[in-house]
Amino acid sequence: MRRTDFEWTVAAGHPAFSGHFPDQPIVPGVVLLDRALYFAEAVLGRPALVWEIAQTKFFSPVGPGQVLTFQLHERPDTSIAFSVLAEGCEVAAGHLRPGR
């Protein structure tokens, strides 16, 4: 299994913070999934028009300005396992499959 790492800093002005939550901004899980899908397409070397999110777990909240490391593991069946780390701690993980 080949692993590829990507780094992404959550911009303090990210539009998702406007309603999630005003007094204590937290990155919505869908934003983390969006980044994981974006990086998965980079690993595959092509866009996938459809993705199946086989499994996802969120362990800790992510706030503005945090630097995240996305570790993606390409599997022989072209599925991709991912882990999202903030300061060395896992904040989310999952498994993606490109659609057919």
Side-chain angles (χ1 to χ4, degrees):
M1 232 176 20
R2 181 180 72 147
R3 184 179 110 185
T4 307
D5 291 1
F6 297 89
E7 195 172 275
W8 180 60
T9 302
V10 181
H14 193 286
F17 291 131
S18 66
H20 205 266
F21 296 96
D23 294 334
Q24 186 163 351
I26 296 173
V27 176
V30 70
V31 172
L32 298 178
L33 283 172
D34 179 67
R35 285 283 95 187
L37 292 169
Y38 175 80
F39 294 137
E41 290 179 347
V43 167
L44 293 176
R46 62 178 170 72
L49 298 177
V50 178
W51 282 96
E52 178 182 334
I53 301 168
Q55 175 185 358
T56 303
K57 292 186 180 190
F58 301 99
F59 306 113
S60 298
V62 175
Q66 284 196 270
V67 178
L68 303 177
T69 301
F70 287 73
Q71 296 178 337
L72 282 76
H73 302 270
E74 187 176 10
R75 298 175 174 214
D77 66 355
T78 71
S79 68
I80 294 177
F82 71 91
S83 182
V84 184
L85 306 168
E87 298 177 18
C89 296
E90 191 172 47
V91 296
H95 188 169
L96 309 169
R97 292 188 194 110
R100 300 169 206 256

